[in-house]
């Protein structure tokens, strides 16, 4: 009898089968790090590329225990695993990275705001509200956010009157979550400060980027943020590194920021996983956010976050209103037009508004990078016809 061969390296469990887990697979191959995936359904983005996967419900503790059995570390594609389950897995002896005490700040906006206030991090004025009268007392216009469960602008409302508060309170009530009111920030632009941090405390900060949201969904990222005051960029990086340390984050932390018209940064929200605003690093940095996430959660020395080029532009490919056929059909044109273009598709069907991939264009000239990336993304999304060249 021979026993089964030892895995060549510790196995990393990943919960959630979206594109973030899919993009972790690439550096995992290079690092020789075996991944074991819990996917929410057959054939989802990451399940297409991670052979060792099973399908199940991440809200079920037994399922989490079954998937992580024999793994030394578990990490995540999303922030939705219940906190109590994460504690239970830790009690079983598994290294949960990021851990439940950190992750709750990315799961719950009310908890995040309270903690950021304690830490003295700059935030928009905010308060938990229980009825429309509280919002009126807070002051209109303001932004209402569900404390949990929101993403890509869902669960976020700009309200100007008590009447407009009806829907947010109905949604929050139905979901059993709180509502947080925030001052409406007239920002100059949105920025993102991305850092990686390992359990032993090593940290690496990427250049601060500018990010453009359309209808609450990230559309474009420019790295580094053009014309950003170096002092403010430094402050944003220090803020992100400080928060990663104070909250004991392991893996990637993205700090979404507003740059105000009077030259300050305010924290919008935190994400503790590779983030859309860090996709540019796949081609534009010496070590991608996905590789540094893996290195961090495995407590390996981190890789250099330095940019490889003067500018990198990332543009998301979103399904348009028209059925443009298969994304694959966009390759001959996009790749022939721009041999330096980098394309990342997620193995998803095109649907209106759905993120199905992104492109990265890097170079010395920002306007040219923007044009190349925008053109390619529009072409893939079917927004440009054969004759619109
Ligand atoms: P999500 O969890 O859906 O990402 P966010 O809190 O990031 O929600 O809000 C989505 C978008 O709404 C932000 O990217 C920003 O454009 C806008 N927004 C959020 N909060 C405010 C605010 N206090 N003032 C002005 N705009 C805001």
């Amino acid at each position: 009898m021979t026993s089964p061969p030892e895995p060549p390296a510790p196995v990393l469990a990943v919960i959630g089968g979206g594109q973030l887990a899919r993009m972790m697979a690439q550096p995992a191959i290079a690092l020789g790090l075996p991944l074991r995936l819990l996917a929410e359904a057959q054939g989802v983005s990451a399940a297409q590329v991670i052979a060792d996967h099973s399908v199940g419900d991440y809200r079920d503790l037994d399922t989490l225990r079954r998937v992580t059995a024999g793994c030394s570390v578990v990490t995540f594609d999303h922030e939705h695993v219940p906190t109590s389950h994460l504690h239970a897995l830790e009690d079983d002896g598994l290294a949960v990275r990021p851990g439940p005490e950190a992750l709750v700040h990315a799961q719950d906006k009310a908890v995040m705001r309270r903690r950021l206030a304690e830490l003295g991090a700059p935030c928009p004025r905010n308060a938990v509200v229980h009825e429309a009268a509280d919002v009126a007392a807070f002051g209109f216009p303001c932004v209402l956010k569900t404390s949990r469960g929101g993403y890509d602008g869902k669960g976020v409302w700009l309200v100007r009157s008590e009447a407009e508060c009806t829907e947010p309170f109905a949604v929050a009530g139905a979901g059993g979550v709180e509502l947080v009111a925030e001052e409406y920030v007239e920002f100059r632009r949105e920025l993102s400060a991305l850092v990686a941090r390992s359990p032993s405390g090593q940290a690496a900060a990427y250049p601060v980027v500018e990010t453009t949201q359309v209808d609450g969904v990230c559309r474009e990222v420019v790295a580094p943020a053009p014309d950003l005051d170096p002092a403010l960029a430094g402050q944003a990086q220090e803020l992100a590194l400080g928060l990663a340390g104070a909250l004991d984050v392991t893996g990637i932390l993205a700090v979404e920021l507003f740059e105000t018209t009077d030259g300050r940064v305010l924290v919008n929200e935190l994400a503790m996983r590779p983030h859309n605003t860090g996709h540019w690093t796949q081609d534009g940095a010496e070590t991608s956010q996905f590789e540094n996430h893996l290195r961090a959660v495995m407590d390996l020395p981190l890789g250099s976050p330095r940019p490889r080029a003067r500018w990198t532009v990332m543009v998301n490919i979103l399904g348009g209103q028209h059925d443009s056929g298969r994304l694959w059909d966009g390759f001959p044109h996009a790749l022939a037009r721009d041999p330096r273009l980098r394309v990342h598709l997620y193995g998803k069907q095109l649907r209106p508004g759905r993120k199905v991939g992104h492109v990265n264009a890097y170079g010395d000239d920002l306007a040219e990078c923007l044009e190349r990336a925008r053109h390619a993304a529009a072409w893939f999304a079917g927004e440009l016809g054969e004759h619109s060249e």
Side-chain angles (χ1 to χ4, degrees):
M1 286 285 285
T2 52
S3 51
E6 278 271 299
V11 179
L12 172 63
V14 182
I15 308 301
Q19 64 262 26
L20 301 178
R22 178 187 178 99
M23 290 186 276
M24 287 179 207
Q26 233 165 3
I29 291 169
L31 292 169
L33 173 67
L35 299 184
R36 181 178 307 151
L37 179 75
L38 177 65
E40 39 289 333
Q42 280 302 345
V44 292
S45 186
Q48 295 167 19
V49 300
I50 298 174
D52 184 4
H53 70 263
S54 56
V55 172
D57 186 349
Y58 60 82
R59 292 165 300 189
D60 178 58
L61 181 56
D62 289 336
T63 301
L64 292 172
R65 285 196 162 121
R66 183 173 45 72
V67 167
T68 56
C71 295
S72 53
V73 181
V74 62
T75 193
F76 311 95
D77 166 87
H78 58 68
E79 289 143 348
H80 307 315
V81 180
T83 307
S84 56
H85 292 356
L86 301 179
H87 282 294
L89 294 176
E90 272 192 335
D91 293 344
D92 294 348
L94 188 67
V96 178
R97 294 179 179 156
E101 303 293 342
L103 201 59
V104 69
H105 301 95
Q107 293 173 319
D108 189 313
K109 288 177 178 170
V111 173
M112 171 195 72
R113 286 293 180 216
R114 276 197 293 276
R115 190 71 200 282
L116 291 183
E118 285 167 16
L119 294 170
C123 289
R125 189 170 64 84
N126 63 86
V128 171
V129 287
H130 303 286
E131 55 184 21
D134 295 344
V135 190
F138 183 83
F140 294 111
C142 69
V143 177
L144 291 180
K145 299 182 178 182
T146 52
S147 57
R148 283 178 175 262
Y151 66 99
D152 281 353
K154 293 176 185 65
V156 176
W157 298 265
L158 171 60
V159 292
R160 294 185 179 79
S161 66
E162 287 199 33
E164 288 181 3
C165 299
T166 309
E167 186 194 338
F169 277 107
V171 171
V177 298
E178 290 186 299
L179 269 191
V180 181
E182 286 182 7
E183 153 201 2
Y184 176 65
V185 180
E186 304 226 21
F187 51 80
R188 189 175 157 231
R189 58 180 166 176
E190 292 185 71
L191 303 173
S192 173
L194 198 81
V195 297
R197 182 176 175 277
S198 63
S200 47
Q202 194 196 356
Y206 287 94
V208 176
V209 301
E210 173 176 329
T211 129
T212 310
Q213 263 68 236
V214 179
D215 298 331
V217 179
C218 177
R219 262 300 164 91
E220 286 186 5
V221 170
V222 177
D227 301 321
L228 180 61
D229 174 2
L232 199 59
Q235 271 176 39
Q237 286 183 314
E238 274 171 33
L239 176 64
L241 288 168
L243 290 176
L247 303 176
D248 197 17
V249 178
T250 44
I252 293 285
L253 168 70
V255 182
E256 295 180 26
L257 299 161
F258 299 126
E259 183 186 0
T260 62
T261 45
D262 60 354
R264 293 174 301 139
V265 287
L266 301 175
V267 178
N268 174 27
E269 68 169 344
L270 308 178
M272 293 180 197
R273 50 173 169 73
H275 193 246
N276 202 158
T277 61
H279 290 355
W280 70 274
T281 62
Q282 287 174 303
D283 304 299
E286 289 183 343
T287 313
S288 80
Q289 63 164 349
F290 297 100
E291 174 155 352
N292 262 341
H293 185 76
L294 298 180
R295 291 194 193 202
V297 301
M298 299 309 291
D299 208 7
L300 293 169
L302 300 176
S304 159
R306 279 219 318 249
R308 288 176 187 271
R310 170 102 175 80
W311 299 106
T312 304
V313 173
M314 190 273 338
V315 179
N316 275 337
I317 303 170
L318 288 147
Q321 294 310 312
H322 308 290
D323 181 3
S324 53
R326 295 179 308 167
L327 278 167
W328 180 260
D329 300 336
F331 273 118
H333 168 82
L335 303 188
R337 183 180 193 264
D338 185 353
R340 297 180 72 203
L341 185 80
R342 309 296 304 164
V343 185
H344 303 265
L345 299 183
Y346 308 155
K348 293 185 171 182
Q349 297 294 329
L350 276 170
R351 259 193 246 135
R354 189 184 203 196
K355 281 184 206 167
V356 291
H358 63 271
V359 296
N360 286 329
Y362 53 86
D364 294 329
D365 185 283
L366 176 56
E368 185 203 280
C369 291
L370 278 167
E371 192 280 328
R372 288 165 51 209
R374 285 177 182 161
H375 177 93
W379 183 269
F380 275 107
E383 290 162 15
L384 301 177
E386 295 283 335
H387 307 293
S388 52
E389 272 288 88

